[in-house]
Amino acid sequence: MIKYFLAGLATVAGLAHAAPPVQQFFESAHYKDAKLSPSGRYLALRVGSNDTRDSVLVFDTESLKVVGGGRLADYDVGTIRWVNDNRLLYTVADSTVATGDTRFAPGLYAMSRDGKEIRQLAEHRQSGSGTGTHIKSRLEPWNTFLMDEEGAQDSDTVYVERPIWTKLAGFEIEHTELVKLNTATGQGVTLSHPGNAQGWMLDHKGEPTILISTKDGKETIHFRNANGEWRDIVTQAAYGSDMEAISPIGFYDDKHLLVKTRMKGDKAALYLMDLASGKLDPNPLVAMADFDFTGSMVYSKKRLVGLHYLADARSSAWFDPALKAAQAEVDKQLGGMINIITPPTQPETDWLLVVSYSDRQPRFYSVYNSKTHELKGLGSARPDIKSSEMGRQDFVKYRARDGLEVPAWLTLPAKEGKKLPMVVLVHGGPYVRGNEWGWDAESQFLASRGYAVLEPEFRGSTGYGMKLFDAGLKQWGLKMQDDIADSVKWAVEKGIADPGRICIMGGSYGGYATLMGLVNDPSLYRCGIAYAAVTDIPLQYSSGMAVLSDLPSDYKAYGVPLLVGDLEKDAAQFIATSPLQQAARIKRPLLLAHGTDDRRVAYPHYTKLRSALKDAKADAEFVEYIGEGHGWSTLKTRLDFWGRVEKFLDKHIGTGAKTE
């Protein structure tokens, strides 16, 4: 199978006459997730298609024969997790309905490896969900969710989180409990703890050892010792740019915590903290010149064997010599690919999980034998995608008008060329990292239609150092917007983009930036596409919306004034940088889309701007998706939206565009 996969990566001359269908980019992935059993003897793979519900298949890693699994008639299998070598957990979802039509929580189910014994552990919002499971005891309440960490995987118990919502109207989480749940009996015990718990972390042995609580804009990190006693490690600002703030990442051993901090430098690095003294090792364990450390620990045999981290692309650092050698051999066999290997937590075999990808190739799953060096392919997330038809992605940098160096991602069509029509794709957040090197459905779809795609990591973006982040504080519609405009000018100067055929596009904050781009820089952009867009900053403070915002009140009270601005002190700035207030200045063609059940950027953002644009007789197309939330959850919506995008771009900057 792996030979067939590699043959598919070979570059062929030229593109096919017809661009790949939109469905290939935005349909649900066929192979969605893979998890090795604790021993490595079995592998659980979540699979699905457009015609079938997502299910879980269990393979024997030696023979790759299916030895178990499960499927539900009315739901998709969601997240999968091994409890031990004989038992799995999974959640459920429904990919056929929009967010607003969802009337159930993910629930939680346990099953035997062969799929014959199924127990429902946590209920949905509505009883009688029709999953056909056999309830043998009382169920945990619907607000019971899996943790990010795998856990010990050596008994029938797991730790699950239980967010507790406020009794006030809205969707705000008041605090989060941690429950030790027996997956065989269905009985759960809530863990006692200090403070207003918001987040939990398990140690290398799978035990809850770190708790993060928040109060009045401050967060406290608590540590639980072997006797079950909690003590505070540090209290620090929950928002802003505290250079000495720390974030717990994992455990090095029983005596040392791994934390991310800047140590008064620009880039966050990974340090060892002595849990007894609270002191940090002066030398970082992992530090990068261009990126903040972002990553996760890899544990096996209840010890730290390595870590996965993100630079421009994902990579791994191995402390275990055998895993380091395995990485080198896999990289040799799959040259030109990013290959992320994961060992079992309690290995009894030599099999490792391998997830491979590149900028032109979606994820492909394999297993690798570290003893025999045999690599066996399982399948691709998107088998219909031909890498030869995909564009090349590069990490670039440019200078903003004030001299600040700004990173960006540039994807060119497979045929490349000069002075191409270009889409500036603005990420949401905005205080997040926008992208990373690898296959991306949105940018590759646009590139497959002949567009260069530029994705600036404008000031305020995270992951590239405190200087870039700090420069974006309270700069919505101002210097953040200038950075986006300056990326366009850079692309024009480099001969990449045709200055007369550039469109700006984005969702959420990216939608806001799209609208403000048309307001501030109409000479740069021929058109704009905004979806789920913030159209007026004060609306994000308001609770009197058609659908209540899910932004927590602590963030509104302490985070938003610092990051975005103060409702009273910055009122004049908010008016000047409000697409809603400045709607009459939008003269370029616009495609505006929104979901009626959006809880992050509520529906009135769309309806108010739509009315203002109609009053201004703007050249705008409007589309609303009934039941959709902050993003498009159903294939039907995704195909409709991106089909509209394709036609809109072709009309204004593509082959069908009229030049000015």
Side-chain angles (χ1 to χ4, degrees):
M1 294 178 71
I2 200 67
K3 291 182 179 178
Y4 174 81
F5 163 59
L6 290 173
L9 296 181
T11 302
V12 298
L15 278 172
H17 292 297
V22 61
Q23 183 161 319
Q24 290 184 6
F25 296 88
F26 299 107
E27 66 184 355
S28 178
H30 291 211
Y31 282 49
K32 297 174 171 62
D33 194 13
K35 295 291 176 67
L36 275 177
S37 73
S39 70
R41 294 183 181 277
Y42 307 100
L43 182 135
L45 188 64
R46 184 161 64 95
V47 300
S49 70
N50 298 321
D51 303 318
T52 61
R53 290 287 190 178
D54 292 352
S55 62
V56 57
L57 297 176
V58 178
F59 294 83
D60 180 285
T61 49
E62 188 66 42
S63 66
L64 287 191
K65 291 182 178 179
V66 176
V67 295
R71 180 191 301 273
L72 300 173
D74 301 321
Y75 295 92
D76 297 293
V77 170
T79 305
I80 53 176
R81 183 76 50 82
W82 288 94
V83 181
N84 53 54
D85 230 43
N86 298 307
R87 197 167 184 81
L88 296 99
L89 287 177
Y90 62 87
T91 63
V92 297
D94 191 345
S95 61
T96 66
V97 299
T99 302
D101 294 325
T102 301
R103 294 292 181 264
F104 60 89
L108 193 60
Y109 298 81
M111 75 173 188
S112 57
R113 186 180 65 230
D114 59 13
K116 293 180 180 179
E117 296 181 13
I118 300 178
R119 173 188 288 274
Q120 185 176 357
L121 298 171
E123 63 186 8
H124 295 275
R125 286 182 184 269
Q126 292 182 340
S127 59
S129 58
T131 58
T133 58
H134 303 287
I135 303 174
K136 300 179 180 178
S137 65
R138 75 169 185 86
L139 299 179
E140 293 296 309
W142 68 269
N143 55 327
T144 302
F145 300 93
L146 286 173
M147 298 186 70
D148 291 334
E149 291 105 326
E150 300 285 349
Q153 297 185 321
D154 59 1
S155 70
D156 286 331
T157 62
V158 296
Y159 287 99
V160 293
E161 292 181 320
R162 182 167 297 148
I164 307 299
W165 273 260
T166 61
K167 295 181 180 180
L168 301 175
F171 300 91
E172 182 181 348
I173 296 174
E174 184 179 78
H175 64 280
T176 301
E177 300 290 351
L178 192 69
V179 178
K180 188 173 185 178
L181 179 63
N182 188 305
T183 63
T185 66
Q187 300 301 307
V189 178
T190 302
L191 191 72
S192 61
H193 60 85
N196 183 32
Q198 296 294 325
W200 299 81
M201 192 175 78
L202 307 179
D203 64 12
H204 54 300
K205 297 177 181 178
E207 291 300 316
T209 312
I210 293 293
L211 161 67
I212 298 176
S213 65
T214 60
K215 184 179 181 181
D216 299 333
K218 300 285 186 180
E219 70 174 22
T220 299
I221 301 173
H222 312 264
F223 167 68
R224 182 174 179 248
N225 63 24
N227 297 323
E229 300 167 340
W230 290 98
R231 65 177 175 84
D232 298 353
I233 294 179
V234 66
T235 297
Q236 57 197 14
Y239 310 102
S241 52
D242 183 352
M243 296 296 288
E244 297 183 358
I246 66 170
S247 298
I249 302 298
F251 280 80
Y252 186 79
D253 54 27
D254 292 336
K255 298 180 180 180
H256 296 90
L257 181 66
L258 291 159
V259 301
K260 180 171 74 172
T261 185
R262 299 183 190 280
M263 290 281 281
K264 300 181 180 180
D266 181 56
K267 304 296 189 298
L270 188 67
Y271 289 85
L272 284 176
M273 170 183 277
D274 186 296
L275 284 167
S277 65
K279 294 183 179 180
L280 300 181
D281 190 306
N283 299 312
L285 190 65
V286 179
M288 292 174 281
D290 292 330
F291 304 94
D292 293 324
F293 173 82
T294 300
S296 59
M297 305 302 103
V298 182
Y299 300 116
S300 186
K301 296 182 179 178
K302 297 187 177 182
R303 64 185 180 89
L304 182 67
V305 294
L307 54 89
H308 299 317
Y309 66 93
L310 176 62
D312 53 346
R314 297 191 178 272
S315 189
S316 304
W318 297 110
F319 309 129
D320 182 279
L323 290 170
K324 187 175 182 179
Q327 182 75 62
E329 179 61 28
V330 170
D331 289 343
K332 181 180 178 181
Q333 293 194 38
L334 294 175
M337 304 286 287
I338 298 297
N339 303 298
I340 305 300
I341 67 174
T342 303
T345 56
Q346 300 166 40
E348 296 177 8
T349 73
D350 298 304
W351 292 103
L352 308 172
L353 174 64
V354 182
V355 181
S356 306
Y357 68 92
S358 73
D359 56 341
R360 306 177 77 189
Q361 174 64 45
R363 291 191 169 201
F364 186 89
Y365 296 91
S366 311
V367 288
Y368 171 75
N369 190 296
S370 58
K371 184 176 182 180
T372 66
H373 307 307
E374 182 182 10
L375 188 66
K376 299 190 291 190
L378 296 168
S380 173
R382 299 181 183 277
D384 295 330
I385 290 291
K386 296 180 176 64
S387 61
S388 58
E389 296 179 339
M390 298 295 103
R392 289 289 186 189
Q393 182 193 50
D394 286 311
F395 181 63
V396 299
K397 296 178 181 178
Y398 64 94
R399 291 284 177 184
R401 64 193 66 181
D402 62 359
L404 182 68
E405 187 176 69
V406 182
W409 301 94
L410 176 66
T411 304
L412 297 178
K415 285 187 175 180
E416 299 190 1
K418 294 289 185 179
K419 291 190 174 181
L420 297 167
M422 187 175 79
V423 177
V424 185
L425 194 56
V426 186
H427 72 73
Y431 305 108
V432 297
R433 174 168 169 163
N435 208 346
E436 62 183 82
W437 190 85
W439 190 89
D440 175 77
E442 295 184 1
S443 58
Q444 288 292 354
F445 171 74
L446 295 170
S448 74
R449 269 57 187 168
Y451 304 108
V453 183
L454 185 61
E455 301 172 78
E457 299 278 9
F458 47 84
R459 67 190 68 202
S461 300
T462 60
Y464 302 95
M466 185 57 73
K467 182 179 180 181
L468 185 72
F469 170 75
D470 251 354
L473 298 181
K474 300 176 72 170
Q475 292 299 311
W476 284 46
L478 301 173
K479 290 184 179 180
M480 292 167 74
Q481 201 69 44
D482 291 343
D483 287 351
I484 299 167
D486 292 342
S487 76
V488 175
K489 296 173 183 177
W490 170 86
V492 170
E493 290 172 0
K494 292 292 184 181
I496 296 166
D498 179 343
R501 294 193 295 163
I502 297 172
C503 188
I504 185 171
M505 174 180 180
S508 194
Y509 170 83
Y512 167 87
T514 293
L515 298 169
M516 285 306 302
L518 300 183
V519 170
N520 289 357
D521 302 292
S523 63
L524 285 182
Y525 307 112
R526 182 68 186 83
C527 59
I529 302 170
Y531 54 102
V534 174
T535 66
D536 185 67
I537 294 172
L539 267 181
Q540 288 298 86
Y541 287 84
S542 171
S543 60
M545 305 184 198
V547 177
L548 296 174
S549 171
D550 67 354
L551 293 174
S553 59
D554 194 68
Y555 176 77
K556 291 179 182 178
Y558 300 100
V560 174
L562 179 66
L563 300 173
V564 184
D566 184 88
L567 199 57
E568 296 181 1
K569 296 178 181 178
D570 300 305
Q573 176 179 317
F574 285 171
I575 293 173
T577 58
S578 166
L580 179 61
Q581 299 292 334
Q582 306 298 324
R585 294 171 59 189
I586 296 177
K587 303 296 184 181
R588 291 297 193 181
L590 171 68
L591 173 60
L592 187 69
H594 214 98
T596 60
D597 286 54
D598 193 333
R599 294 175 182 172
R600 180 58 54 88
V601 180
Y603 187 50
H605 280 269
Y606 168 78
T607 56
K608 288 177 181 291
L609 182 62
R610 181 182 60 187
S611 296
L613 290 172
K614 286 183 176 181
D615 290 344
K617 294 181 171 53
D619 182 1
E621 300 177 27
F622 306 103
V623 57
E624 58 186 74
Y625 294 110
I626 305 300
E628 285 286 8
H630 199 60
W632 317 137
S633 58
T634 68
L635 177 61
K636 179 181 178 182
T637 300
R638 293 193 295 272
L639 294 182
D640 182 85
F641 175 73
W642 287 99
R644 291 173 185 266
V645 168
E646 182 173 16
K647 293 177 182 177
F648 183 85
L649 290 175
D650 184 67
K651 177 181 178 181
H652 296 293
I653 64 171
T655 56
K658 295 180 181 179
T659 57
E660 294 185 347

